[in-house]
Amino acid sequence: MLKKGFWIIISVAAALALSIVIGIISPSEKINALWIVVAAGCFYAITYRLYSSFLATKVLVIDEDRPTPAKKLADGIDYHPTNRWVLFGHHFAAIAGAGPLIGPMLAAQFGYLPGFLWILIGSALGGAVHDMVILFASVRKNGRSLAQIARDEIGPVGGIATAFAILFIIIVALAGLGLAVVNALTKSSWGTFTISFTIPIAFFMGIYLYRIRPGRVSEVSVIGVILLVIAVFAGSYIPNSFLEPLFNLSRNNLVLSIAVYGFIASVLPVWMLLCPRDYLSTYMKIGTVILLALGVILIAPTIRMPAITRFIEGGGPIIPGKLFPFMFITIACGAISGFHSLISSGTTPKMIMSEKDIPMIGYGAMLVEGFVSIMALIAATILIPGDYFAINTKLPFDAIAALGFPVDKISELSKTVGTDVAGRPGGAVSLAVGMASILSSIPGMKGLMPYWYNFALMFEALFILTTVDTGTRVARFLLQELGGYIYKPISKTGWLPGNIITSLMVVCTWSYLIYSGNISTIWPMFGVANQLLAAIALGVGTTFIIKSGKIKYAWTTLIPMIFMFTTTFTAAWSLIGMFADKASKATTSAEAFTFKWYVIFSRSSGIGVYQGTKNG
């Protein structure tokens, strides 16, 4: 009775909060961000309790006594039994990249309501289902990749075509994620120092956990968190010190540094750097998001952005396209992400110790990411709309006012954080300003706005970089699978020369795209790539469910697949004209090549989604 009473209270709270946010109750009044937090938290709790259980028991039929690939194929390099909490940390850190932070920030130009509803519904009924089904399928197939599962379920020709499509997509996705890191850390010595310091901390944690004190997760967690806090506070002393030139990196130097890190993380054993670093960063990620939520609860800020703006019909200063389909590909990972299928069929299934952990890791981690997206949306929409547009565009203030959003406190914000924040598009700076505004308003935090602003920039970079390293490793797996058709030893993940060669090829490709591109070119393609891959993965998942004899439950993945097919097909063809026009107006050959490459990608995306759905 107590349990039933608890869930009744949660359900009533969710219904009340949603009614206020949507405007059913007091539609003429501005809403408080507190209601958004309550609605999201209660809704996610209900869907995790009910829908993930339904998927686990009825659709997938999880068997906790069945040996997992981590135990059957343990090799100490890629297949390695890992504590469920450590693995949750790795999985969450790997999937939670730029999308849940930058996407909602940019999509806020359409108003707070469309993004809120898509994040809420998309993550619980689409993204979490996508992640959990692919993770289960990979575990049941000995940790095989999405491309290999497609080959098993659809056929060899479809499997190889899917492998090439996935590799093509993940390169663009990694470029989009890496670009967000570059934008956040350029000329930020504090953030760069702290991010750099997490690497030796992760090495120490890996050696401590697997060599010095095996299995002592609590001990290494305490040590890691203490060292991480020290790194954060020590970073505040780097600016204006003799160490500043070492960490105050230019854009090109940052691209090179990230490429070197991605290569090293892809080649080393997972237990040595990748897994402990992801686990460590998860503490900061989840801790910061919880602190933001507490800040919203304590200060109860008012949402200043309208529920819906005039830009839903197109012509927005940040995203020029219409609400459909561009809001969906802009929010990307915040609601559903094809990139997650690469992690769910890449590193995670090779480390999971029991099938009973699949709902927590596959479904639960996506809901946490959805909550992160909600917090990013709040950080964007509590800003004065004119100031929001002044930060995220390079338009003159009078042009922004002509759109109906006069600039108000941008000069005051710049003075408070100690940096000119106007005309800094890309979402990273506006997110940092929004986060700093919330955190510095918490009792006892007044006057710490500059500290929180720099902390937020570092937080964004840490959030994203953990996806880049895992994504590079997964892309290496895919390239090795394809290389095995040419030279058999390349397909063996234990063969070091093959690991090095394929990792270099992956890193050089995505780092070139970062070097030659910008947020307006890479981010739309990242969104299309992400949603395209989600449509493919959901098609593979639907086929897997049908072949498992559960055709009556195929709707769980079929309905999201159809929606993703529609949005991606529409967006891909819409982008062709935009990039073709930019290619004809490019000022350099490198820029023209990049735009033409994107045109080819957009065309193949539209055709690829159609053919993949048809074949699936």
Side-chain angles (χ1 to χ4, degrees), residues 140-219:
R140 282 293 174 93
K141 291 184 175 294
N142 289 327
R144 293 167 75 82
S145 70
L146 180 63
Q148 291 173 318
I149 296 172
R151 186 165 63 245
D152 293 343
E153 301 297 329
I154 300 173
V157 176
I160 294 174
T162 301
F164 275 107
I166 292 172
L167 184 61
F168 196 61
I169 290 166
I170 194 175
I171 294 298
V172 176
L174 288 172
L177 296 169
L179 179 65
V181 177
V182 171
N183 288 344
L185 289 183
T186 298
K187 299 297 182 180
S188 175
S189 57
W190 182 354
T192 303
F193 170 82
T194 302
I195 295 295
S196 302
F197 205 74
T198 60
I199 297 174
I201 294 176
F203 270 119
F204 170 76
M205 290 178 65
I207 294 172
Y208 187 95
L209 186 60
Y210 296 108
R211 292 292 184 267
I212 300 175
R213 300 273 286 174
R216 302 300 178 99
V217 177
S218 299
E219 290 180 17

Side-chain angles (χ1 to χ4, degrees), residues 140 267 300 433 445-446 451 509 534 583 602:
R140 282 293 174 93
V267 173
V433 171
M445 298 292 181
K446 189 176 181 180
Y451 174 89
T509 306
S602 297

Side-chain angles (χ1 to χ4, degrees), residues 487-523:
Y487 184 57
K488 192 66 175 177
I490 293 179
S491 63
K492 298 178 180 178
T493 57
W495 190 50
L496 185 59
N499 292 354
I500 292 174
I501 293 170
T502 51
S503 295
L504 276 175
M505 292 174 66
V506 171
V507 166
C508 289
T509 306
W510 61 251
S511 59
Y512 170 77
L513 291 179
I514 298 175
Y515 174 78
S516 61
N518 55 56
I519 195 71
S520 64
T521 59
I522 291 180
W523 194 262

Side-chain angles (χ1 to χ4, degrees), residues 447-458:
L448 296 179
M449 185 83 164
Y451 174 89
W452 286 120
Y453 173 77
N454 284 282
F455 174 83
L457 286 177
M458 182 274 300

Side-chain angles (χ1 to χ4, degrees), residues 391-564:
I391 296 173
N392 283 294
T393 71
K394 291 185 178 293
L395 293 175
F397 291 176
D398 55 350
I400 297 174
L403 293 173
F405 300 101
V407 179
D408 188 6
K409 296 183 178 180
I410 194 68
S411 298
E412 182 181 333
L413 284 173
S414 297
K415 184 178 179 180
T416 303
V417 302
T419 301
D420 183 9
V421 297
R424 301 285 294 276
V429 172
S430 55
L431 176 60
V433 171
M435 288 176 60
S437 299
I438 294 173
L439 295 172
S440 62
S441 299
I442 297 175
M445 298 292 181
K446 189 176 181 180
L448 296 179
M449 185 83 164
Y451 174 89
W452 286 120
Y453 173 77
N454 284 282
F455 174 83
L457 286 177
M458 182 274 300
F459 165 78
E460 294 175 47
L462 183 65
F463 220 107
I464 298 162
L465 201 58
T466 50
T467 305
V468 173
D469 53 22
T470 305
T472 300
R473 194 180 196 95
V474 172
R476 188 253 288 177
F477 291 157
L478 291 169
L479 194 56
Q480 284 182 286
E481 290 172 14
L482 293 171
Y485 291 104
I486 302 172
Y487 184 57
K488 192 66 175 177
I490 293 179
S491 63
K492 298 178 180 178
T493 57
W495 190 50
L496 185 59
N499 292 354
I500 292 174
I501 293 170
T502 51
S503 295
L504 276 175
M505 292 174 66
V506 171
V507 166
C508 289
T509 306
W510 61 251
S511 59
Y512 170 77
L513 291 179
I514 298 175
Y515 174 78
S516 61
N518 55 56
I519 195 71
S520 64
T521 59
I522 291 180
W523 194 262
M525 293 313 305
F526 165 66
V528 169
N530 223 13
Q531 308 307 76
L532 165 62
L533 189 52
I536 293 173
L538 286 166
V540 173
T542 302
T543 307
F544 176 82
I545 291 173
I546 292 172
K547 287 193 172 183
S548 299
K550 301 290 183 178
I551 190 171
K552 65 179 180 179
Y553 297 122
W555 58 267
T556 56
T557 50
L558 181 63
I559 293 174
M561 183 201 74
I562 293 172
F563 183 79
M564 299 312 300

